Amino acid sequence: MKLRLIYLAAGNSRRFGSNKLLYELEGKPLYLHLLERLDRLCARHDGWEVIAVTQYPQIYDDLNERHICAVLSPDSHKGVSYSIRAGLEAAADAQACAFFVADQPYFTEESAEAFLEHMERNQAELGCVSCGDQTGNPAWFSHSYFPELLELKEDQGGRKILKKYPEKITCFPISDAGELRDLDTLS
């Protein structure tokens, strides 16, 4: 399957107080934690590729040096829909996309791979990770939903489409809620 993992590393960090993507966590910038895991697992699967979207030239340059497909999206400061659009435009020929967010540094490589394999094996139209009654990123969208993703405005994200078609969602349960934790504040 031609699958693109769209890695969103373009947020404004309003609640964090500084650019959280560059925040040092366990010896490296936050944005690298999950990205390195995704890059490793894509190397094990034919047809899988990471596309990282950022509004920050420093991150864009670093990703190019690492030979990771990067898209510079200067309009991402206007809302997540701009980052989604930039990623989808780079993934137009994909059969499906899975969106991951850079502020989930605790999402494991094993969970990411199991989620993606589950969605691929089940030919999911839409999908997301769940832990108990909590759902969240990553989220999966088959190609047929790309037009609706491209129509999102300002700070609308993929959740809008997931809410519109709840009967089409394939959930992938994980047992550790800590993996879904977003790093939004320093506390």
Side-chain angles (χ1 to χ4, degrees):
M1 168 177 261
K2 195 174 237 185
L3 173 63
R4 298 298 173 258
L5 284 56
I6 299 178
Y7 188 72
L8 302 175
N12 293 318
S13 308
R14 288 183 185 99
R15 289 175 287 185
F16 198 79
S18 63
N19 187 344
K20 69 180 170 184
L21 298 171
L22 300 175
Y23 176 73
E24 288 282 321
L25 178 68
E26 300 170 7
K28 61 184 165 187
L30 176 66
Y31 76 90
L32 285 178
H33 285 265
L34 180 54
L35 180 60
E36 288 177 343
R37 294 179 199 126
L38 297 177
D39 193 43
R40 281 193 302 268
L41 73 88
C42 281
R44 296 192 295 267
H45 294 269
D46 288 337
W48 293 16
E49 182 183 352
V50 175
I51 298 171
V53 179
T54 188
Q55 66 173 312
Y56 302 105
Q58 176 183 354
I59 294 173
Y60 177 80
D61 292 343
D62 180 56
L63 296 177
N64 279 319
E65 287 177 22
R66 294 171 182 271
H67 305 290
I68 293 173
C69 179
V71 176
L72 189 60
S73 176
D75 289 332
S76 288
H77 72 279
K78 298 176 185 176
V80 71
S81 67
Y82 293 88
S83 300
I84 290 169
R85 190 171 304 112
L88 281 177
E89 287 171 356
D93 63 341
Q95 293 169 286
C97 285
F99 288 89
F100 291 82
V101 292
D103 63 355
Q104 280 185 322
Y106 306 111
F107 198 72
T108 67
E109 186 172 336
E110 295 77 19
S111 291
E113 189 166 32
F115 165 73
L116 294 167
E117 288 174 339
H118 181 78
M119 294 297 135
E120 184 178 53
R121 186 173 46 255
N122 289 289
Q123 299 177 357
E125 290 186 46
L126 298 170
C128 66
V129 170
S130 65
C131 186
D133 55 357
Q134 176 188 1
T135 59
N137 289 311
W140 172 282
F141 297 87
S142 66
H143 190 270
S144 61
Y145 293 91
F146 288 12
E148 288 184 68
L149 287 166
L150 290 168
E151 291 175 6
L152 295 171
K153 305 289 184 218
E154 283 81 37
D155 216 24
Q156 294 175 332
R159 186 176 304 268
K160 178 179 180 181
I161 294 163
L162 294 174
K163 284 182 176 182
K164 185 176 177 182
Y165 304 104
E167 73 284 358
K168 302 285 187 183
I169 297 172
T170 300
C171 284
F172 180 77
I174 61 170
S175 58
D176 182 1
E179 288 191 62
L180 300 181
R181 181 177 164 231
D182 289 348
L183 197 65
D184 284 332
T185 61
L186 282 170
S187 54

